[in-house]
Amino acid sequence: MHTKFVIVLFSIQLSCIAIGGKAFGQSTGGDTLRMSLKETEAQFLKNNLDLIVQHYSIDQAQAQIITARLFNNPDFSFANVLYNPQTKKFFDTSHDGGEYSAQLSQLFQTAGKRNKSIQLAQIGFQQAQYQLFDLLRTLRFTLRSDFYKIYFQEQSAKVYQEEINSLAKTLSVFKEQYTKGNIAQKEVLRIQSQLYSLQSELNDLIDGIDDTQSELKLMIRANPQSFVVPVVDINLEGKSIVSEVPYQHLVDSANANRYDLKVARSMVDYNNINLKLQKANAVPDLTFSLAYDKQGSYIRDYSSAGVAFSLPFFNRNQGGIKQARIAVDASKVQLQSAQDQLESDIANDYKSALRLENLYNSFDPKFKQDFNHLIQEVFKNYQKHNISLLEFLDFYDSYKTNTLQLNNLQLNRISSLEQLNFATGTPFFNQQ
């Protein structure tokens, strides 16, 4: 290979690396939204439709408390004679020939049914609030995970784009030199194969970024045609974040702050009160009444007061009581299952986060800088014919692989911290 050709190729490589990352990340049809995590969360809290819907559920549960507190309406009935064949009158209200009657009755619940119904409605309202906070915990975890995922995958995509730009220019020069007989066809095919492979990998990566972008924009209700560019300024190098928090502290915090666990606990309370209500339903309610009949009874202007209730000979709500007992036992098992799942999640997430923290901190902070310097030396050796084209491509591929691995390692470490936040229901590791 001629020296002039090598110098031209070397210049192309350097220029492509300098400009390779600029084109990626631009919107194709909408605005580019540069947003910090704090700004993204603020827009999420303001615009997310799932949270708005859950707020309506809380309002509905609160309305059920109002309904439970209301007393039963009294019943009133009135009857008047339609046709009196003796007086030949319709709706006869005369003193001698008219007949009408009226009755007023009121149902009174016994055995504290009303108070127990109010308690159930209050627990339902509390559960709706817990469900809102648990939904917020879940959606915020997804939001923050997507935010960091987009950021680090964009960094990886820039590395791909740099190498693709470089190889595309190189391939063009190689084809020209091949037609002149300066290089062998196998070198052209080697570059071409490498280029196609990188383009395929980049396409898969961009597809993943687009999917994550779509999910993030839906959560914050951004324009679907826009492109969110995460603004991240974090430095975790050499920091021991996870190891500084005692494991038991994480478990205690989860027990106190996990709202899905609070929902499970409140279900036990709900079913216990419902069991009491079902037992109370076995006690008959009382209906008191006042009645007046002008002349339809054994005496004229008959008036009466009465009480009515069912006799619990056959139906004593046996089925309802049995179902309520089963629900109590089932809710206790569900609570224990939720507790076991919580402790299992925290144990697993803690070990994973600690392992990633130790792995990340074991890397030399100067490694990336030294590796970049190494690539520059590789270019120089390639220019001086000290290494072949294949060796040069292998070095460059190693550079790409290591850079991608570092990006993935940083993403995995931050994701592990977010996972611990999610598992404990507490922002222990609030990276911005």
Side-chain angles (χ1 to χ4, degrees):
M1 190 180 294
H2 298 303
T3 302
K4 182 178 179 181
F5 166 63
V6 174
I7 294 175
V8 170
L9 177 61
F10 176 63
S11 300
I12 292 174
Q13 300 268 13
L14 291 179
S15 63
C16 287
I17 289 177
I19 65 174
K22 292 183 179 180
F24 183 79
Q26 300 299 316
S27 174
T28 57
D31 297 330
T32 298
L33 305 177
R34 295 182 59 84
M35 303 177 68
S36 66
L37 182 56
K38 186 176 181 180
E39 293 170 334
T40 306
E41 286 188 323
Q43 190 163 338
F44 157 74
L45 293 173
K46 178 182 178 182
N47 298 332
N48 188 265
L49 295 180
D50 290 330
L51 293 179
I52 294 175
V53 169
Q54 190 59 40
H55 277 290
Y56 285 122
S57 297
I58 293 177
D59 294 338
Q60 290 176 334
Q62 194 170 29
Q64 290 175 354
I65 297 178
I66 298 175
T67 301
R69 285 175 173 167
L70 298 176
F71 289 95
N72 293 309
N73 290 325
D75 293 324
F76 175 77
S77 63
F78 175 82
N80 193 88
V81 61
L82 177 62
Y83 176 73
N84 189 335
Q86 295 179 354
T87 62
K88 311 294 186 183
K89 293 181 179 180
F90 285 94
F91 302 104
D92 188 0
T93 59
S94 63
H95 181 268
D96 295 326
E99 159 60 8
Y100 52 84
S101 63
Q103 182 176 2
L104 178 67
S105 62
Q106 174 68 54
L107 175 68
F108 289 91
Q109 291 182 316
T110 60
K113 296 186 184 74
R114 176 175 172 272
N115 289 335
K116 293 177 178 63
S117 297
I118 294 174
Q119 291 176 19
L120 290 180
Q122 289 172 335
I123 293 177
F125 172 68
Q126 191 178 55
Q127 287 178 339
Q129 291 178 312
Y130 289 160
Q131 288 166 354
L132 170 64
F133 292 130
D134 191 58
L135 176 64
L136 178 60
R137 176 182 73 100
T138 302
L139 293 179
R140 177 174 279 151
F141 170 70
T142 302
L143 178 84
R144 294 173 68 94
S145 298
D146 287 350
F147 183 87
Y148 288 121
K149 186 177 181 181
I150 291 172
Y151 173 77
F152 285 106
Q153 285 189 338
E154 284 181 0
Q155 303 308 306
S156 297
K158 289 178 182 179
V159 175
Y160 272 108
Q161 195 64 59
E162 288 173 0
E163 189 169 358
I164 288 172
N165 290 342
S166 177
L167 287 181
K169 295 292 185 180
T170 302
L171 179 61
S172 177
V173 175
F174 268 48
K175 285 182 177 180
E176 181 180 348
Q177 293 299 315
Y178 170 68
T179 58
K180 297 179 181 180
N182 293 331
I183 59 174
Q185 186 182 26
K186 64 179 182 180
E187 296 189 27
V188 176
L189 295 177
R190 179 67 178 84
I191 293 291
Q192 200 168 39
S193 175
Q194 181 79 355
L195 177 61
Y196 292 161
S197 177
L198 290 173
Q199 288 173 333
S200 178
E201 292 177 15
L202 176 60
N203 182 71
D204 293 340
L205 181 59
I206 293 178
D207 282 343
I209 293 175
D210 288 343
D211 291 341
T212 310
Q213 282 271 347
S214 178
E215 184 176 60
L216 179 64
K217 288 183 289 189
L218 184 61
M219 293 181 70
I220 64 176
R221 296 192 69 197
N223 184 347
Q225 296 298 320
S226 63
F227 192 92
V228 178
V229 179
V231 179
V232 177
D233 183 20
I234 56 174
N235 182 14
L236 299 177
E237 291 183 1
K239 295 181 179 179
S240 298
I241 299 176
V242 179
S243 57
E244 291 180 354
V245 180
Y247 172 75
Q248 189 58 44
H249 189 35
L250 298 177
V251 176
D252 294 341
S253 179
N255 284 322
N257 297 302
R258 279 280 292 268
Y259 284 96
D260 56 337
L261 189 62
K262 291 183 179 181
V263 170
R265 288 173 183 151
S266 68
M267 281 304 301
V268 177
D269 297 335
Y270 184 94
N271 288 322
N272 279 322
I273 295 176
N274 183 56
L275 176 59
K276 295 179 181 179
L277 176 61
Q278 296 307 315
K279 290 179 178 179
N281 285 337
V283 180
D285 293 328
L286 301 177
T287 300
F288 292 94
S289 62
L290 296 174
Y292 169 79
D293 193 324
K294 182 180 179 183
Q295 57 182 6
S297 186
Y298 74 98
I299 59 173
R300 188 180 181 89
D301 295 323
Y302 171 81
S303 62
S304 65
V307 61
F309 57 90
S310 63
L311 298 176
F313 291 157
F314 307 109
N315 182 358
R316 297 187 298 277
N317 199 30
Q318 296 94 325
I321 293 173
K322 184 176 181 179
Q323 287 180 326
R325 284 198 178 109
I326 294 173
V328 170
D329 294 338
S331 61
K332 289 179 179 178
V333 173
Q334 290 173 344
L335 174 59
Q336 186 60 55
S337 176
Q339 183 70 47
D340 293 345
Q341 185 65 53
L342 179 147
E343 294 179 3
S344 176
D345 289 344
I346 294 178
N348 183 63
D349 295 339
Y350 181 78
K351 288 189 292 185
S352 177
L354 192 60
R355 185 168 56 250
L356 284 167
E357 180 173 276
N358 293 334
L359 176 61
Y360 187 84
N361 289 338
S362 68
F363 277 71
D364 186 351
K366 297 182 179 180
F367 172 77
K368 188 174 182 179
Q369 180 180 352
D370 293 341
F371 206 81
N372 290 336
H373 178 71
L374 176 62
I375 287 298
Q376 296 177 0
E377 293 300 319
V378 169
F379 277 126
K380 292 179 181 179
N381 280 278
Y382 180 54
Q383 179 185 8
K384 297 176 181 178
H385 302 281
N386 292 333
I387 60 174
S388 66
L389 172 64
L390 292 180
E391 290 175 317
F392 167 73
L393 292 177
D394 287 340
F395 272 113
Y396 202 92
D397 193 59
S398 296
Y399 167 75
K400 178 206 72 175
T401 301
N402 278 276
T403 303
L404 296 182
Q405 287 177 343
L406 284 174
N407 287 339
N408 288 334
L409 180 58
Q410 292 182 80
L411 173 60
N412 290 338
R413 186 183 180 190
I414 292 178
S415 297
S416 70
L417 298 179
E418 293 298 331
Q419 186 67 43
L420 271 179
N421 287 341
F422 177 72
T424 59
T426 309
F428 278 111
F429 316 103
N430 194 19
Q431 304 297 323
Q432 295 294 333

